[in-house]
Amino acid sequence: MACYCYMLECANGKYYTGWSTDPFRRLTQHNSGLGARYTRMNGPSRLVYVEEVPDHSTALKHEIRIKRMTHSQKAALVADTSRNILPRLQENLQTKHANTKSFKILSPARVNLLGEHVDYNDGVVLPAAIDRYATLNVEVLDEPVVRLRAEDLNAEAAFALENLAGKQDLNGQPLPAFALYPAGVAWALQEAGLPLRGLTVRYSSDIPIGAGLSSSAAIEVGFALAWQIAGGWEIPRIELVKLCQKAENEYVGVKSGLMDQFACAFGTARHALALDTRSLDWQTLPLPKDVAIVIADSGVRRSLANSAYNDLRADCQEALERLRAWCSSLTSLRDVPMQFLEAHLHELPEGPARRALHVVGEMARVEQAIACLVEGDIAGFGAQMVDTHASLRDLYGVSCPELDLLVELAVSHPACFGARLTGAGFGGCTVNLVAQDGVEDFVRWLKAAVREKSGREVPIEVCQAVDGARLAD
Ligand code: GLA
């Protein structure tokens, strides 16, 4: 099997040297936080050098030799095209991609364990990608047109890549709502100067729509990946994530934060992701093997959720602006200590005051919850979840009786460490952390308890944390 020594250029400008049988796959691992401590602390990295060597033992020795070189010797190696075969490999890859006529993409849902409504206030969030997927069957076309078939909705739409800003289909009619997500992604990629191919995409999803599990981010990231593969270009994944957010913010019109698209793109099997939405630093945190993630769907959907979400965001902005009268250096609610907020609370209008109280409290809860997860204190983590639910209900106003009932019942079961609504709220799902050995009983019991209290059947499913959006085999 071919062996390669490779060098990555890390975000701090330094080189990282390693060896692998597949340097491209290894790069993805490094950038997912699973490669090495050094690249996790200093990522994201980019592949700058690949040299083929005959076998493992030569690779190991050569790796040590390169590691001992000075920075400028390494830079010279990168520039030496007689040894650095990366440009050639990339070219081959591009040709392969350019010839790819059809492929399939899996793009996962996200569940947020903690850190709700803080991603547009510069806070830290703790989501994971889960094993519910949007599946895209993609065919690359020679004409600059995108043809969509959303199987679950039994709906079709087609639009031209030349007229994305018009939000119109090929007949000049306004694009239906479901088509705005792919069209928005195409628009954002085009705005960034990336070349787009025409596509036919048949897609379906087992992520419930409007249920707080980021069905729209899964579609956005899935389509962005489809255009990347069809076009044979590469950009850092975080840039792809930001462009998907731009599509949602500016094309669809929901002023969401970065969390959903990030989790969908960077998900890591068996791990939660701790993303600092201010610095974009992130790390993966292993989830305990003996704890299951259980999702319970309240079945409630609110049609005006998007405008309500934007209103909440505006309340946070208003709170910040008013607080700046006493401290002009504040740039987001992340900067606001609880004591300072409490001292000025009575001077804020009620809505912004309540939103700010939630956001500042939630940021502290996330910090504590991360410490609990690192120490393996799942009961402590669960307690933060329960507090978050209360805060979302009482201060943020995004819960509903159906969600409150699900949480209240869940936490009374002995196997449940914690439960809360997940995602934006206004209905949707709860996330529950449950001891693995009690999970079957928990699911059966919760279904029966909800039935007894409300006469309703609720879908409850056990999920796994999985890797982010990818080409299916
Ligand atoms: C939605 C948004 C996210 C985030 C959550 C609430 O899912 O898309 O950016 O704000 O709500 O935490």
Side-chain angles (χ1 to χ4, degrees), residues 102-176:
S102 60
F103 52 89
K104 181 165 153 182
I105 285 175
L106 288 177
S107 191
R110 77 97 187 87
V111 66
N112 190 17
L113 299 178
L114 219 76
E116 215 63 271
H117 289 283
V118 297
D119 66 343
Y120 48 87
N121 291 299
D122 277 354
V124 176
V125 289
L126 260 185
I130 51 169
D131 55 345
R132 299 296 179 270
Y133 294 97
T135 306
L136 282 64
N137 289 294
V138 185
E139 268 175 61
V140 183
L141 303 176
D142 288 328
E143 45 170 1
V145 162
V146 178
R147 299 181 191 282
L148 305 173
R149 166 139 190 92
E151 312 270 13
D152 309 313
L153 306 175
N154 195 16
E156 293 185 353
F159 55 86
L161 288 170
E162 283 121 13
N163 176 29
L164 292 166
K167 300 187 186 176
Q168 286 176 350
D169 68 12
L170 292 180
N171 303 319
Q173 297 301 310
L175 279 176

Side-chain angles (χ1 to χ4, degrees), residues 273-320:
L273 311 168
L275 167 69
D276 181 329
T277 61
R278 171 179 267 178
S279 64
L280 298 188
D281 283 344
W282 65 282
Q283 55 173 325
T284 54
L285 296 170
L287 290 165
K289 289 192 184 67
D290 50 359
V291 176
I293 299 172
V294 179
I295 305 291
D297 189 345
S298 72
V300 177
R301 308 284 186 264
R302 285 218 199 128
S303 56
L304 291 178
N306 288 353
S307 61
Y309 180 94
N310 290 348
D311 291 347
L312 291 167
R313 192 169 175 157
D315 274 354
C316 290
Q317 193 55 35
E318 180 170 354
L320 176 69

